[in-house]
Each structure stands twice: as C-alpha cells, then as structure tokens.
Amino acid sequence: MISRRRFITTALATLGSSSALANAPSYTPRPRMRGLNPLSPGRDGLEAILKNAGLSGEVVCAVADARNGQVLESADGDRGLPPASVAKVVTALYALDTLGAGHRFRTRLIATGPVQNGVLQGDLVLVGGGDPTLSTDGLADLAAGMKAAGLRQVSGRFLVWDGMLPFVKSIDPGQPDHVGYSPAVSGIALNFNRVHFEWKRAGGSWAVSMDARTQKYRPEVFTSKMAVVRRDLPVYTYQDKSGVDHWTVASGALGNGGARWLPVRNPALYAGDVFQTLARAHGIALPNPRQVARMPSGSLIAQHQSDPLPVLLKGMLKYSNNLMAEMIGMSASLQRDGRPGSLAASGRSMSSWATANLGMQSCRLVDHSGLGDQSRLSANDMLRALVLAHRDGALKPLLKRIYLQDAKGRPMKTHPVQIAAKTGTLNFVSGLGGFVTAEDGRELAFAIFSADLSARSRISRAERERPAGGRSWNRRAKRLQQALLARWGQVYGS
C-alpha cells in the first residue's frame, strides 16, 4: 500500500538529482542483440524506428531500468507533450498517496428533523460524497435503507447537495455536446453522469426513451428529454432549460432503431430524479428534487459506500473513465489543499504534488483525466513516477495488460515480453506508459508520447468525434508503440 508521503524517499533524491534521469542522452547505442523474434524492428535501432514510423508531428520516448532508474534509451525525453489518458497514472498515484488505499466514498441520506410515526418532520437530503461509481443500483439500496429505517413520508423538501466538489459543465468544453466521455462533474454522479437514449421505429415515426438503466432497474428520467427533428445535420443539439437537459436528434440519423449513452449536464437533479422514482417503488412519495448550495446538518438515515479506492482505480485505468479520474483527483485535492476552486485548480494541485513527490520537473496538468490537450508531460517525468511506483509495488497490478501483436495485428498472449501499461488517445495524440517485463525477466519502465498538435488545432468542434485522418494517424502511432516495445523488451532482455 502506498502510504502518505512515502514517495519522498532517498530513491527520489537519487532519481531527481543524479545523472540517472537528469542528463538523459537523446540516443543510447543499442547493445548487441541475440535471439530476436522476426517481428522485432529492434535491429533497425531507435532512430530508424522513429524515422520510418510515417507519423506527422512529434514523438518523445524513454525507457529505463525500473529498479534503479537508469535510462537505457531516450528520444527528446525532456520535451513535454499532451499525455492524454496516461495522465490517469499520475492521478492514481496522487489519490493513493493522499486518500489512502482504504478510502471509500459515501453517498448519504440525512434528515434535518426527527422521524415520528414514519413521518420525517423536516427535509430529506441526498448528500453526494464524490463517489464516481454510484449507480441506479446504489440509489436503489439507499431507497431500501430509507424504508428499513422506518421512514414513510417527508413533510418537508427533498434536497440534493453536490457541492463537495466544484461543478464542471463539461470536462473539456471543446468536445461536442453529445459525447459521453465528457459529462458534467460535481460532488454527485449517477451512472457516470450518463443517460441512456434508445429509439425504435414506430410506424412513420420513432418511439424514444431516456432512462437510468442498469441490469436490475430501468427508471424513466424526467431531467433529460429528447425530441426527434426532421433534419439530417447536426445529429444532436443540446440546451439547458431550468436544469433539464433538452436534446434534439436528427431523424435522418436514426435508421430503424438503436441506443447510445448521452452525457448529463445537471447531475444533482438527475440523481434526485432517479431517487424519487426508486423511493416511489417503496411506497414513499417524495417532493420533486431541489438542488441546494449548502449542505444542511442532520441525522443519518442511510448510506451507500463505494468499493475501496484500489478497486476504483483499477477500473478507471482499465476503461479509461474520465469522470472517475476527475472526481477521484478532485477529491484528493480536497483532502490535501481544501476544496479546489475549479478543475484546472485541482490539476495544478496535482502537478505541484507530482513535482514535490515524484520529481516531475515539467509536469503541467490541467485536469486529472488527460482529456484537456493543454496538459504537458515529458517521457522522463513519466519515468520518474513509474520507477518510484515500481518500488512501492501498488501501481503495476492496477494497469492493463498490453500484448505485442503479430504481423496481422493479433495479440500474442504467450509472447515472453509482457507489458502492463496505460494507453492514452485523443485526436492526433497518442500515449503509452507503464512497465515491460523483458525476455529475461528484467523490469523496465517506459513512456511514449506522440502528438501532431498542428493537425489537432485544425479540427472543428463538430468534427472532434471522428476527424478526417485521425484514425489512420492513430494506427501509425500504435504501430510505432508496438515497434518500440518489441525492441525494448528483447534488446534489453538479452
């Protein structure tokens, strides 16, 4: 388990001040290679691999011995590029160090008055506790707990408080309104602040539904509304009308039926809306939810706890969930420095922590998910974090297994080179960072960042979901990563 301040060690001093990373060469001559797989482009050397990648923009990379931080090979290792979702590795370390591995998030129901003969003489308050994994199932458990506590009626108001964390309308306002990976963020989130939109052909029109479904429940949602409009483009439009998300969808894009998750922009009222429905299923009629700016004091009626932090972090890294990263990261900033004024301020707090605790010399992060393309991280800075995390041992089990691929792009799951890493992808931005277990068992830490910021700057907001040339650029970036991993895993494991 990573303990608080454990990152401030003699190892950090060694990495930060010695030649291990401070004076990393731009190129290290490769040692004599033995027993290379025909897949490996390692015989061409690092410079040739980068030159032949056919990738526009910039590429920076570095690899080091994970045990002692000795840099084995590097190309522009001190140049900062957008890390994309590789930034979530820093967020995971930040949260573990600040909140602790035993941390759980709590969502509570509190009563501002006494419960007499089943009637609450006061207000019922749904209190968000920063849980990024709260689902409709969790709210259903809270509703059942409320009934078990003997509450049958509320004489006052039904309030929702989400002020534990600052409200963010969209993680990256530059993204299209309808993409589910950039929802609103606040102190409460339900179903990752997404609502399920489904449509089916019904005669000459379409039947549409908006719900907060899980495998167990499918409550209809009234705080998100959808209208089908006869047009071809734009596919979606969005307006916030008094706390209700109003969407329109182009009829020309619907076909005969389908479904997708849309982002929620008013998370407090969304959670209150769904809880009201679930309470009604237990025979408890609640007033319509109202958002409240200050958390009222009161007594606990019921609560729902998240899984322990490492379980959440493993899911965050595996599925690259942006909402989880932002809520967990801002919760860590709250614990460390007090409630951040904004997402960007929380990103600065994490950057300062990374500089002080991980030796990151040029870390500049504007959020915790990597979705904002103004963040900058260098390959050498990423190595510093990975080498320290490797010594503690808490990070690697949380990372996703990445496989080397054969000539047809198929994963080679029995290949002796094993990789545990975090990927990162934005339009014309690709990153990968983590650990390689070489053929002889040697543990390596690595980071690869690629970006064509000029091409990215030319993308309009409407094109962000599928820009021209984006997929082919990303494929080339992935092939470059594969080539570098094959080289490092075999050259430095021989």
Side-chain angles (χ1 to χ4, degrees):
M1 181 178 75
I2 296 181
S3 60
R4 300 170 190 264
R5 306 297 187 271
R6 187 170 176 181
F7 287 119
I8 307 177
T9 62
T10 55
L12 175 60
T14 300
L15 287 170
S17 61
S18 76
S19 61
L21 282 170
N23 299 303
S26 61
Y27 174 73
T28 300
R30 62 181 177 88
R32 184 172 62 88
M33 294 175 289
R34 294 170 291 176
L36 284 179
N37 187 301
L39 163 75
S40 173
R43 64 185 75 244
D44 293 330
L46 176 63
E47 291 179 339
I49 291 174
L50 298 177
K51 181 179 179 180
N52 296 330
L55 199 63
S56 61
E58 299 176 271
V59 179
V60 301
C61 62
V63 62
D65 189 303
R67 296 166 297 180
N68 57 30
Q70 178 190 2
V71 175
L72 303 171
E73 199 161 67
S74 173
D76 289 327
D78 287 323
R79 182 187 297 275
L81 288 179
S85 285
V86 181
K88 292 181 175 73
V89 171
V90 183
T91 300
L93 298 174
Y94 182 51
L96 285 169
D97 185 49
T98 304
L99 300 174
H103 183 82
R104 294 174 183 259
F105 296 94
R106 295 189 304 156
T107 305
R108 296 177 292 153
L109 279 177
I110 64 172
T112 64
V115 178
Q116 299 174 345
N117 298 319
V119 179
L120 169 56
Q121 305 297 330
D123 299 330
L124 181 69
V125 188
L126 176 62
V127 178
D131 182 1
T133 58
L134 180 66
S135 69
T136 298
D137 293 350
L139 284 188
D141 291 343
L142 274 177
M146 176 177 64
K147 182 177 181 179
L151 194 150
R152 297 294 181 271
Q153 184 179 340
V154 175
S155 65
R157 301 168 296 173
F158 172 40
L159 305 175
V160 183
W161 183 72
D162 70 340
M164 173 181 158
L165 302 176
F167 174 75
V168 179
K169 192 75 171 180
S170 175
I171 297 172
D172 178 10
Q175 299 291 334
D177 287 326
H178 63 275
V179 294
Y181 56 77
S182 187
V185 185
S186 72
I188 197 166
L190 180 65
N191 302 328
F192 305 114
N193 279 343
R194 299 181 306 170
V195 62
H196 190 263
F197 165 47
E198 186 172 12
W199 65 95
K200 296 179 181 179
R201 193 82 183 189
S205 186
W206 290 265
V208 301
S209 63
M210 302 284 273
D211 60 58
R213 68 177 58 190
T214 63
Q215 290 186 346
K216 292 183 179 179
Y217 304 97
R218 193 175 293 187
E220 184 180 358
V221 171
F222 301 98
T223 47
S224 291
K225 298 183 180 297
M226 178 64 73
V228 179
V229 178
R230 291 196 175 276
R231 64 170 188 262
D232 292 323
L233 292 172
V235 176
Y236 292 97
T237 67
Y238 169 80
Q239 281 186 301
D240 181 343
K241 297 181 180 180
S242 302
V244 176
D245 294 333
H246 281 261
W247 297 91
T248 71
V249 63
S251 59
L254 293 182
N256 291 323
R260 75 172 290 162
W261 289 92
L262 292 171
V264 166
R265 303 293 179 205
N266 294 284
L269 294 180
Y270 173 52
D273 175 7
V274 174
F275 186 78
Q276 182 188 42
T277 299
L278 295 168
R280 189 182 304 120
H282 288 284
I284 304 171
L286 297 178
N288 288 334
R290 293 177 54 184
Q291 188 175 0
V292 61
R294 293 185 178 182
M295 187 182 75
S297 59
S299 58
L300 182 67
I301 297 294
Q303 71 174 354
H304 175 78
Q305 288 196 124
S306 73
D307 287 327
L309 182 61
V311 177
L312 271 58
L313 294 177
K314 188 175 181 68
M316 177 194 79
L317 293 169
K318 179 178 180 180
Y319 299 107
S320 206
N321 189 286
N322 294 326
L323 179 88
M324 293 182 71
E326 305 302 0
M327 292 184 72
I328 292 171
M330 285 199 290
S331 295
S333 293
L334 170 68
Q335 178 77 13
R336 184 170 294 274
D337 300 320
R339 187 179 184 275
S342 65
L343 178 56
S346 187
R348 288 193 294 270
S349 292
M350 186 169 77
S351 299
S352 297
W353 170 87
T355 298
N357 291 267
L358 301 179
M360 289 185 159
Q361 300 172 359
S362 58
C363 177
R364 189 174 84 245
L365 300 173
V366 300
D367 56 30
H368 302 285
S369 65
L371 189 57
D373 63 6
Q374 297 304 306
S375 289
R376 294 293 182 270
L377 195 59
S378 72
N380 282 346
D381 270 349
M382 196 69 223
L383 287 192
R384 291 182 174 95
L386 291 168
V387 170
L388 287 173
H390 181 266
R391 292 177 180 178
D392 188 277
L395 176 63
K396 187 176 178 181
L398 304 179
L399 296 174
K400 185 178 179 179
R401 180 79 183 271
I402 305 291
Y403 297 98
L404 290 179
Q405 298 173 0
D406 64 18
K408 294 184 178 180
R410 297 172 298 195
M412 298 186 292
K413 296 187 177 182
T414 60
H415 197 284
V417 175
Q418 299 182 15
I419 304 149
K422 179 70 190 82
T423 60
T425 303
L426 298 172
N427 294 320
F428 296 101
V429 174
S430 184
L432 187 67
F435 303 101
V436 174
T437 303
E439 287 185 335
D440 65 352
R442 187 181 189 184
E443 291 281 336
L444 307 174
F446 75 93
I448 308 166
F449 298 133
S450 308
D452 187 340
L453 297 180
S454 178
R456 181 173 172 81
S457 68
R458 294 192 294 269
I459 305 170
S460 69
R461 187 169 184 263
E463 295 174 313
R464 284 292 177 94
E465 200 167 15
R466 292 184 180 88
R471 288 187 176 182
S472 60
W473 188 94
N474 183 260
R475 283 195 296 269
R476 290 191 293 273
K478 299 296 185 187
R479 284 198 295 266
L480 171 62
Q481 292 166 6
Q482 284 277 314
L484 291 173
L485 291 171
R487 169 180 170 76
W488 293 335
Q490 296 177 33
V491 169
Y492 296 110
S494 300

mmCIF file of all heavy atoms in Angstrom, residues 399-427:
data_model
loop_
_atom_site.group_PDB
_atom_site.id
_atom_site.type_symbol
_atom_site.label_atom_id
_atom_site.label_comp_id
_atom_site.label_asym_id
_atom_site.label_seq_id
_atom_site.Cartn_x
_atom_site.Cartn_y
_atom_site.Cartn_z
ATOM 1 N N LEU A 399 -2.632 -1.748 -13.627
ATOM 2 C CA LEU A 399 -2.523 -1.440 -15.041
ATOM 3 C C LEU A 399 -3.054 -2.573 -15.911
ATOM 4 O O LEU A 399 -3.076 -3.739 -15.507
ATOM 5 C CB LEU A 399 -1.070 -1.145 -15.403
ATOM 6 C CG LEU A 399 -0.452 0.088 -14.734
ATOM 7 C CD1 LEU A 399 1.031 0.179 -15.056
ATOM 8 C CD2 LEU A 399 -1.173 1.364 -15.168
ATOM 9 N N LYS A 400 -3.435 -2.224 -17.098
ATOM 10 C CA LYS A 400 -3.996 -3.187 -18.047
ATOM 11 C C LYS A 400 -2.887 -3.918 -18.785
ATOM 12 O O LYS A 400 -1.851 -3.348 -19.110
ATOM 13 C CB LYS A 400 -4.887 -2.444 -19.056
ATOM 14 C CG LYS A 400 -5.628 -3.332 -20.029
ATOM 15 C CD LYS A 400 -6.510 -2.486 -20.942
ATOM 16 C CE LYS A 400 -7.252 -3.342 -21.951
ATOM 17 N NZ LYS A 400 -8.130 -2.517 -22.823
ATOM 18 N N ARG A 401 -3.119 -5.185 -19.065
ATOM 19 C CA ARG A 401 -2.161 -5.976 -19.840
ATOM 20 C C ARG A 401 -2.237 -5.566 -21.311
ATOM 21 O O ARG A 401 -3.314 -5.508 -21.905
ATOM 22 C CB ARG A 401 -2.479 -7.467 -19.690
ATOM 23 C CG ARG A 401 -1.538 -8.377 -20.468
ATOM 24 C CD ARG A 401 -0.231 -8.563 -19.762
ATOM 25 N NE ARG A 401 0.678 -9.377 -20.567
ATOM 26 C CZ ARG A 401 0.734 -10.716 -20.509
ATOM 27 N NH1 ARG A 401 -0.066 -11.375 -19.679
ATOM 28 N NH2 ARG A 401 1.585 -11.388 -21.251
ATOM 29 N N ILE A 402 -1.096 -5.252 -21.884
ATOM 30 C CA ILE A 402 -0.978 -4.904 -23.300
ATOM 31 C C ILE A 402 -0.148 -6.002 -23.967
ATOM 32 O O ILE A 402 0.848 -6.466 -23.401
ATOM 33 C CB ILE A 402 -0.280 -3.541 -23.493
ATOM 34 C CG1 ILE A 402 -1.001 -2.452 -22.687
ATOM 35 C CG2 ILE A 402 -0.194 -3.183 -24.968
ATOM 36 C CD1 ILE A 402 -2.362 -2.092 -23.188
ATOM 37 N N TYR A 403 -0.539 -6.425 -25.163
ATOM 38 C CA TYR A 403 0.154 -7.529 -25.835
ATOM 39 C C TYR A 403 0.879 -7.040 -27.082
ATOM 40 O O TYR A 403 0.374 -6.180 -27.825
ATOM 41 C CB TYR A 403 -0.836 -8.623 -26.242
ATOM 42 C CG TYR A 403 -1.526 -9.282 -25.077
ATOM 43 C CD1 TYR A 403 -2.801 -8.878 -24.689
ATOM 44 C CD2 TYR A 403 -0.894 -10.293 -24.358
ATOM 45 C CE1 TYR A 403 -3.444 -9.476 -23.618
ATOM 46 C CE2 TYR A 403 -1.531 -10.897 -23.283
ATOM 47 C CZ TYR A 403 -2.800 -10.483 -22.907
ATOM 48 O OH TYR A 403 -3.424 -11.067 -21.838
ATOM 49 N N LEU A 404 2.052 -7.592 -27.319
ATOM 50 C CA LEU A 404 2.676 -7.425 -28.622
ATOM 51 C C LEU A 404 1.818 -8.136 -29.667
ATOM 52 O O LEU A 404 1.156 -9.144 -29.367
ATOM 53 C CB LEU A 404 4.086 -8.011 -28.616
ATOM 54 C CG LEU A 404 5.137 -7.251 -27.790
ATOM 55 C CD1 LEU A 404 6.479 -7.960 -27.872
ATOM 56 C CD2 LEU A 404 5.263 -5.815 -28.249
ATOM 57 N N GLN A 405 1.831 -7.611 -30.875
ATOM 58 C CA GLN A 405 0.969 -8.133 -31.926
ATOM 59 C C GLN A 405 1.795 -8.742 -33.050
ATOM 60 O O GLN A 405 2.941 -8.334 -33.294
ATOM 61 C CB GLN A 405 0.086 -7.022 -32.482
ATOM 62 C CG GLN A 405 -0.841 -6.422 -31.433
ATOM 63 C CD GLN A 405 -1.587 -5.204 -31.937
ATOM 64 O OE1 GLN A 405 -1.411 -4.789 -33.087
ATOM 65 N NE2 GLN A 405 -2.432 -4.634 -31.093
ATOM 66 N N ASP A 406 1.181 -9.704 -33.737
ATOM 67 C CA ASP A 406 1.867 -10.291 -34.879
ATOM 68 C C ASP A 406 1.641 -9.422 -36.120
ATOM 69 O O ASP A 406 1.048 -8.332 -36.033
ATOM 70 C CB ASP A 406 1.414 -11.737 -35.112
ATOM 71 C CG ASP A 406 -0.064 -11.858 -35.474
ATOM 72 O OD1 ASP A 406 -0.678 -10.843 -35.877
ATOM 73 O OD2 ASP A 406 -0.607 -12.968 -35.374
ATOM 74 N N ALA A 407 2.106 -9.875 -37.269
ATOM 75 C CA ALA A 407 2.048 -9.074 -38.487
ATOM 76 C C ALA A 407 0.615 -8.762 -38.912
ATOM 77 O O ALA A 407 0.381 -7.803 -39.650
ATOM 78 C CB ALA A 407 2.780 -9.791 -39.614
ATOM 79 N N LYS A 408 -0.355 -9.541 -38.444
ATOM 80 C CA LYS A 408 -1.754 -9.305 -38.787
ATOM 81 C C LYS A 408 -2.504 -8.541 -37.702
ATOM 82 O O LYS A 408 -3.731 -8.419 -37.752
ATOM 83 C CB LYS A 408 -2.458 -10.638 -39.065
ATOM 84 C CG LYS A 408 -1.926 -11.356 -40.302
ATOM 85 C CD LYS A 408 -2.717 -12.625 -40.578
ATOM 86 C CE LYS A 408 -2.210 -13.316 -41.856
ATOM 87 N NZ LYS A 408 -2.978 -14.552 -42.144
ATOM 88 N N GLY A 409 -1.753 -8.046 -36.721
ATOM 89 C CA GLY A 409 -2.381 -7.267 -35.668
ATOM 90 C C GLY A 409 -3.042 -8.078 -34.578
ATOM 91 O O GLY A 409 -3.785 -7.539 -33.759
ATOM 92 N N ARG A 410 -2.766 -9.364 -34.511
ATOM 93 C CA ARG A 410 -3.366 -10.221 -33.494
ATOM 94 C C ARG A 410 -2.492 -10.258 -32.249
ATOM 95 O O ARG A 410 -1.252 -10.358 -32.363
ATOM 96 C CB ARG A 410 -3.548 -11.639 -34.052
ATOM 97 C CG ARG A 410 -4.507 -11.709 -35.229
ATOM 98 C CD ARG A 410 -4.517 -13.086 -35.863
ATOM 99 N NE ARG A 410 -3.197 -13.444 -36.398
ATOM 100 C CZ ARG A 410 -2.985 -14.443 -37.235
ATOM 101 N NH1 ARG A 410 -4.013 -15.189 -37.638
ATOM 102 N NH2 ARG A 410 -1.763 -14.715 -37.662
ATOM 103 N N PRO A 411 -3.083 -10.182 -31.064
ATOM 104 C CA PRO A 411 -2.284 -10.196 -29.837
ATOM 105 C C PRO A 411 -1.607 -11.542 -29.621
ATOM 106 O O PRO A 411 -2.227 -12.594 -29.782
ATOM 107 C CB PRO A 411 -3.314 -9.919 -28.735
ATOM 108 C CG PRO A 411 -4.629 -10.333 -29.313
ATOM 109 C CD PRO A 411 -4.528 -10.051 -30.786
ATOM 110 N N MET A 412 -0.321 -11.505 -29.275
ATOM 111 C CA MET A 412 0.444 -12.728 -28.993
ATOM 112 C C MET A 412 0.515 -12.904 -27.480
ATOM 113 O O MET A 412 1.422 -12.413 -26.807
ATOM 114 C CB MET A 412 1.835 -12.619 -29.618
ATOM 115 C CG MET A 412 1.811 -12.491 -31.130
ATOM 116 S SD MET A 412 3.461 -12.549 -31.877
ATOM 117 C CE MET A 412 4.160 -11.021 -31.281
ATOM 118 N N LYS A 413 -0.477 -13.597 -26.936
ATOM 119 C CA LYS A 413 -0.639 -13.668 -25.490
ATOM 120 C C LYS A 413 0.409 -14.533 -24.808
ATOM 121 O O LYS A 413 0.561 -14.471 -23.586
ATOM 122 C CB LYS A 413 -2.048 -14.156 -25.157
ATOM 123 C CG LYS A 413 -3.132 -13.191 -25.627
ATOM 124 C CD LYS A 413 -4.509 -13.585 -25.155
ATOM 125 C CE LYS A 413 -5.540 -12.550 -25.589
ATOM 126 N NZ LYS A 413 -6.912 -12.883 -25.102
ATOM 127 N N THR A 414 1.133 -15.344 -25.565
ATOM 128 C CA THR A 414 2.177 -16.175 -24.962
ATOM 129 C C THR A 414 3.580 -15.616 -25.214
ATOM 130 O O THR A 414 4.568 -16.276 -24.901
ATOM 131 C CB THR A 414 2.089 -17.608 -25.511
ATOM 132 O OG1 THR A 414 2.263 -17.586 -26.938
ATOM 133 C CG2 THR A 414 0.738 -18.230 -25.168
ATOM 134 N N HIS A 415 3.669 -14.436 -25.780
ATOM 135 C CA HIS A 415 4.980 -13.843 -26.059
ATOM 136 C C HIS A 415 5.722 -13.612 -24.747
ATOM 137 O O HIS A 415 5.116 -13.188 -23.745
ATOM 138 C CB HIS A 415 4.806 -12.525 -26.817
ATOM 139 C CG HIS A 415 6.060 -12.052 -27.482
ATOM 140 N ND1 HIS A 415 7.094 -11.469 -26.787
ATOM 141 C CD2 HIS A 415 6.453 -12.074 -28.792
ATOM 142 C CE1 HIS A 415 8.068 -11.155 -27.625
ATOM 143 N NE2 HIS A 415 7.707 -11.515 -28.853
ATOM 144 N N PRO A 416 7.024 -13.876 -24.700
ATOM 145 C CA PRO A 416 7.767 -13.717 -23.443
ATOM 146 C C PRO A 416 7.877 -12.267 -22.963
ATOM 147 O O PRO A 416 8.098 -12.032 -21.772
ATOM 148 C CB PRO A 416 9.155 -14.288 -23.776
ATOM 149 C CG PRO A 416 9.259 -14.232 -25.269
ATOM 150 C CD PRO A 416 7.867 -14.450 -25.772
ATOM 151 N N VAL A 417 7.736 -11.297 -23.856
ATOM 152 C CA VAL A 417 7.749 -9.889 -23.448
ATOM 153 C C VAL A 417 6.357 -9.524 -22.960
ATOM 154 O O VAL A 417 5.381 -9.628 -23.703
ATOM 155 C CB VAL A 417 8.170 -8.971 -24.616
ATOM 156 C CG1 VAL A 417 8.060 -7.511 -24.205
ATOM 157 C CG2 VAL A 417 9.586 -9.298 -25.057
ATOM 158 N N GLN A 418 6.244 -9.112 -21.706
ATOM 159 C CA GLN A 418 4.956 -8.810 -21.105
ATOM 160 C C GLN A 418 4.890 -7.328 -20.761
ATOM 161 O O GLN A 418 5.856 -6.737 -20.275
ATOM 162 C CB GLN A 418 4.731 -9.660 -19.857
ATOM 163 C CG GLN A 418 4.720 -11.153 -20.149
ATOM 164 C CD GLN A 418 4.441 -11.979 -18.913
ATOM 165 O OE1 GLN A 418 3.981 -11.463 -17.899
ATOM 166 N NE2 GLN A 418 4.731 -13.271 -18.996
ATOM 167 N N ILE A 419 3.726 -6.739 -20.981
ATOM 168 C CA ILE A 419 3.552 -5.296 -20.830
ATOM 169 C C ILE A 419 2.335 -5.019 -19.960
ATOM 170 O O ILE A 419 1.262 -5.598 -20.169
ATOM 171 C CB ILE A 419 3.366 -4.624 -22.213
ATOM 172 C CG1 ILE A 419 4.541 -4.969 -23.131
ATOM 173 C CG2 ILE A 419 3.212 -3.114 -22.071
ATOM 174 C CD1 ILE A 419 4.164 -5.024 -24.593
ATOM 175 N N ALA A 420 2.493 -4.126 -19.009
ATOM 176 C CA ALA A 420 1.383 -3.608 -18.201
ATOM 177 C C ALA A 420 1.457 -2.094 -18.311
ATOM 178 O O ALA A 420 2.458 -1.486 -17.909
ATOM 179 C CB ALA A 420 1.495 -4.050 -16.751
ATOM 180 N N ALA A 421 0.430 -1.469 -18.864
ATOM 181 C CA ALA A 421 0.563 -0.050 -19.193
ATOM 182 C C ALA A 421 -0.793 0.626 -19.256
ATOM 183 O O ALA A 421 -1.847 -0.013 -19.180
ATOM 184 C CB ALA A 421 1.283 0.114 -20.538
ATOM 185 N N LYS A 422 -0.730 1.958 -19.387
ATOM 186 C CA LYS A 422 -1.927 2.779 -19.604
ATOM 187 C C LYS A 422 -1.820 3.443 -20.966
ATOM 188 O O LYS A 422 -0.811 4.079 -21.269
ATOM 189 C CB LYS A 422 -2.045 3.865 -18.522
ATOM 190 C CG LYS A 422 -3.265 4.782 -18.716
ATOM 191 C CD LYS A 422 -4.539 4.004 -18.439
ATOM 192 C CE LYS A 422 -5.775 4.822 -18.869
ATOM 193 N NZ LYS A 422 -6.055 4.706 -20.316
ATOM 194 N N THR A 423 -2.856 3.287 -21.756
ATOM 195 C CA THR A 423 -2.921 3.936 -23.057
ATOM 196 C C THR A 423 -3.529 5.329 -22.915
ATOM 197 O O THR A 423 -4.186 5.646 -21.917
ATOM 198 C CB THR A 423 -3.780 3.125 -24.026
ATOM 199 O OG1 THR A 423 -5.112 3.018 -23.488
ATOM 200 C CG2 THR A 423 -3.220 1.727 -24.219
ATOM 201 N N GLY A 424 -3.319 6.142 -23.929
ATOM 202 C CA GLY A 424 -3.933 7.460 -23.968
ATOM 203 C C GLY A 424 -4.174 7.867 -25.405
ATOM 204 O O GLY A 424 -3.263 7.798 -26.232
ATOM 205 N N THR A 425 -5.405 8.281 -25.712
ATOM 206 C CA THR A 425 -5.739 8.630 -27.092
ATOM 207 C C THR A 425 -6.619 9.864 -27.136
ATOM 208 O O THR A 425 -7.663 9.922 -26.482
ATOM 209 C CB THR A 425 -6.471 7.467 -27.790
ATOM 210 O OG1 THR A 425 -5.662 6.290 -27.737
ATOM 211 C CG2 THR A 425 -6.745 7.808 -29.246
ATOM 212 N N LEU A 426 -6.183 10.860 -27.875
ATOM 213 C CA LEU A 426 -7.001 11.983 -28.304
ATOM 214 C C LEU A 426 -6.833 12.083 -29.823
ATOM 215 O O LEU A 426 -6.008 11.382 -30.406
ATOM 216 C CB LEU A 426 -6.536 13.287 -27.648
ATOM 217 C CG LEU A 426 -6.607 13.380 -26.120
ATOM 218 C CD1 LEU A 426 -5.926 14.665 -25.646
ATOM 219 C CD2 LEU A 426 -8.057 13.340 -25.642
ATOM 220 N N ASN A 427 -7.580 12.952 -30.456
ATOM 221 C CA ASN A 427 -7.377 13.160 -31.885
ATOM 222 C C ASN A 427 -5.967 13.673 -32.134
ATOM 223 O O ASN A 427 -5.575 14.722 -31.616
ATOM 224 C CB ASN A 427 -8.399 14.164 -32.425
ATOM 225 C CG ASN A 427 -9.811 13.631 -32.365
ATOM 226 O OD1 ASN A 427 -10.048 12.467 -32.647
ATOM 227 N ND2 ASN A 427 -10.755 14.479 -31.998
#
